[in-house]
Amino acid sequence: MTKAEVISAIADKTGVDKASVSITLESFFETVKAELSKGEGVFVRGFGSFVNKKRAAKKARNISAKTTVDVPEHYVPGFKPAKEFTEQVKSNVK
């Protein structure tokens, strides 16, 4: 499902026009990105958590140059689904 399809589905279910739904959805995405950039998480009860995951420093190999590269400690965005969400998906996906 694409973002446009999500916007259409929400507009059909709620009766709100697609432009308003699009603005709201874009605002949600921007808010999540901004909070994760500040190091904060976003927690949506019953849905899940958008959090930063810490990746430890490590040594990697550049096989084309045959050298070792140090990759510093860094954070990547992640999503952890809520228990109810996980259970719903498990029971419905076949």
Side-chain angles (χ1 to χ4, degrees), residues 17-49:
D17 63 296
K18 288 183 183 180
S20 296
V21 173
S22 179
I23 291 169
T24 304
L25 193 60
E26 286 297 327
S27 297
F28 174 75
F29 291 147
E30 290 300 321
T31 302
V32 169
K33 287 191 271 187
E35 290 301 309
L36 290 177
S37 296
K38 291 189 281 186
E40 300 292 325
V42 177
F43 307 99
V44 182
R45 187 177 299 274
F47 184 72
S49 305

Side-chain angles (χ1 to χ4, degrees), residues 57-75:
K58 64 180 180 179
K59 294 194 182 293
R61 297 274 304 154
N62 181 344
I63 57 174
S64 61
K66 296 183 181 175
T67 58
T68 302
V69 179
D70 289 325
V71 178
E73 175 182 280
H74 62 282
Y75 292 88

Side-chain angles (χ1 to χ4, degrees), residues 21-22 54 79 84:
V21 173
S22 179
K54 184 177 180 179
F79 176 74
E84 305 89 47

